[in-house]
Each structure stands twice: as C-alpha cells, then as structure tokens.
Amino acid sequence: MMETEPDPDWGLATLGIRAAEMRSDEQEHSAPIYATSSFVFASAAEAAARFAGEQPGNIYSRFTNPTVRAFERRLAAMEGGEACLATASGMAAVMTTCMALLQSGDEIIASDALFGSTTNFFAAQLPRFGIETSFVSPTDPAAWRDAVTSRTRLLFVETPSNPLTRLSDIAAIAEIAHGCGAALVVDNCFCTPALQRPLALGADLVIHSATKYLDGQGRCVGGAVVGDAERVHGRIFRFLRNTGACMSPFNAWVFLKGLETLSLRMRAHCDNAAQVARWLAAHPGIERVHYPGLEEHPQHALARAQQRGFGGIVSFDVRGGRDAAWRLIDATRMISITANLGDARTTITHPATTTHARLTPAQRAAAGVGDGLIRLAVGLEDTHDIIADLARGLGS
Ligand SMILES: *Cc1c(COP(=O)(O)O)cnc(C)c1O
C-alpha cells in the first residue's frame, strides 16, 4: 500500500488531486474502495496489539478505513489542518464535534443565521444535556464579545450565511474566542477550502457538509471536521468511534473524486454566479441582490480580504412578494426546484415557505428573509441558459 505525502509547496488544485493518493499492491491508478466492515489479523498477538493501540493499523470500519482515511488526509491538506475526521453527514460533524468537546454547564455562542438543523440542534437538543447557546448577529463582532460568560467554551459561525450571504469576520471572532479560552468552529460549507481557509485566519476547527460542493454533483451525504490533531484525533475521534456517525467507504471514494475537481469547479461556480448576480442587479423586476461579489454588498471589502472568490450562492428579492417569487420559480424549465446546493446543476429555493417556513413572520423579518426572497445556488450550466430560465418568469 502506497500513500503520497502532500508536498508543502503544492497549490490547492494539486493538493485536491495528489494529496493522499492511495495505491494498493495492484497499482491501480484510481483509489480503491475498501468495502469491508473489519480487518483480519495475522495472529492473536497482533489482534491484541492492535486493540491495545500498541500497533497501528485498521480494526473495524467504524474506527478507521483506508478509503475514508484517504479522503480525510486530502481534505486536511486542503484546509491546512493537522487532522480530519469524516462523518456520516454535515450534521453528524456538528453533533460529534459539540458532544465531544462540551459537557453539561458549558455554553456556546453561535451566529443567528446558521443552517436550520444546526440552529435546531443548538436550540432544541443540546439544552437537554445542559448546554445552552446564545445566538448573536454574524456581522457584529461586538455582540459576540458581549455574549461571552465564564462558561463560554465554543463559538460557532457559518460564513457567508444562508440565504443572505452575510459575512462574519473570522479573525475578529477567533480573537474573541481565544480571549475567553474557547474554540472557534467555522462551517466552511459555502466557500470550501478553494475560497476560504478558516484555520489560517485563526479558527480552531472547520466543519463541512461534504454533501454540497465537496461532492459537487449531489450524489452522497457526508461531512467532516478538520483541525489540530489533539482535538480531532483525540477527543473527537474517541467520541466518534464509540457513537458511530462514521462515513461509508463508498461515500468517501465519491468525495475523494469530488476533491479532484473542487478548485476548478469553485472557480466556475464563482464566475457563473457573478454573471447571474450582475444580470439580476440590472433587472427592473428585482428589488435587491445579495452577493458578496457585488460592490454594493455591505461586506464586499471583507469578502475581498477573507475569501479568494465570492462563491456560487446568489439571493435576490423579487418585486411583488411571494406571488412574484413563486411565479419566477414555477416558470423555470431547467433549474431544479430543490433545497440542496453545491451541485453542478443550478438549484432554486423560496426560503420563506421552505427552509425558513417554521420561523414566525417576525423571526423571518428579523432574519431578513422576505416573502419575495429567492435563493439560487448557481451551477455549472452555460450562464446564458441559467439567465434565460430566470427571465421566463420575470416578464422579459
Ligand atoms: C447542508 C448543510 C449542513 C448539514 O449538512 P448535511 O450533510 O445535510 O448533514 C450544515 N451546514 C451547512 C451550511 C449546510 O449547507
């Protein structure tokens, strides 16, 4: 079995293709899928040594698996982290990280614009285990500082946010975390390491939903957490191996293939999204476009400083509220009406009646999710076809 060590000088595209390349004695060029639940020992003494941790090696695929490890090592190299653990889903990464690092009495400070299930996990599940969360504005570091108590152990942010593409200043929030002895966790799902490397900006851990851009074609559900070896291979691994939210080897292989084209795809997502955002911004039927790449975005300067591209998510308010938004969505013929994102195929969502429907109208208004808001995850089709599909329902 051969595994390549990443060269410290490699750029991100090379890391995505060449880091942790794996080859068995058969010398196959594409990584093998180790579809096995357990591994065989040469003797009773070897089995005992493996279980005692005296001899490195695989035991059981809930603990480690070679295909899963290749994905973990490659993603760690791309994020610039020492260690990575793959999980069954993005939410499994969030849950495993929080449960491994926190205990009853600890507190979290989190952005009030997180992925819906993450918000629900913090607000409705963790309190049952004695862990409370205060939610603050992602764009206001002072609010994070004000929320710190003697029990704060974890700060959690997602930038840019969904659906309004609000940015958080990762370096500023990392400083607040470290000032109170807490860890900063960044959900890097929207940017991926191709556009943003939170660890280099001071974050302690990065969370991924691999389901989105890391896969890139909407095939598998998976997740990962990346960071220092002490936390990731220590407490988080110990929790994961005992609780079981591990990634399947087949999914790891799909994500490993996804990483090979990540750098190229993210550049294309950014280019397409910028063109669509500019077209929308100039359209009289559109009230406002939310895209960090537009100069009128309130945090355009932060996006330039913190990210290496502006991403594939564009949100916009259609004039005429819900009826007009639904008309636009229903008039599309090519774009997929689905809540997933990070796919080669462009997807369209009406947040007020889907992802944010469970909020009260007042909560939705506070979150900036109006009835005319549409979220577009711009895919890799030809831009003129995406624009033509949007134009159908805009009367132009
Ligand atoms: C989808 C998503 C998640 C959850 O990931 P799953 O793989 O669906 O469990 C977490 N954070 C963000 C930003 C997401 O978009």
Side-chain angles (χ1 to χ4, degrees), residues 161-166 190 290 313-315 351 356 367 369 373 375:
S161 74
N162 178 22
L164 291 175
T165 71
R166 289 178 175 150
F190 272 33
H290 311 271
I313 310 294
V314 178
S315 295
H356 292 66
V369 177
L373 185 74
R375 187 197 73 193

Side-chain angles (χ1 to χ4, degrees), residues 199-216:
L199 300 176
L201 296 165
D204 298 286
L205 295 164
V206 167
I207 294 272
H208 274 288
S209 168
T211 317
K212 314 295 166 53
Y213 289 106
L214 303 192
D215 176 332

Side-chain angles (χ1 to χ4, degrees), residues 89-92 115 118 158 187 189-190 209 211-212 221-222 341:
S89 66
M91 285 319 301
F115 182 70
T118 310
E158 190 181 306
D187 181 331
C189 176
F190 272 33
S209 168
T211 317
K212 314 295 166 53
V221 173
L341 61 94

Side-chain angles (χ1 to χ4, degrees), residues 167 292-295 299-310:
L167 269 71
L294 295 177
E295 270 166 26
Q299 295 165 298
H300 179 65
L302 177 60
R304 272 194 180 286
Q306 184 166 278
Q307 300 177 197
R308 270 171 300 179
F310 303 113

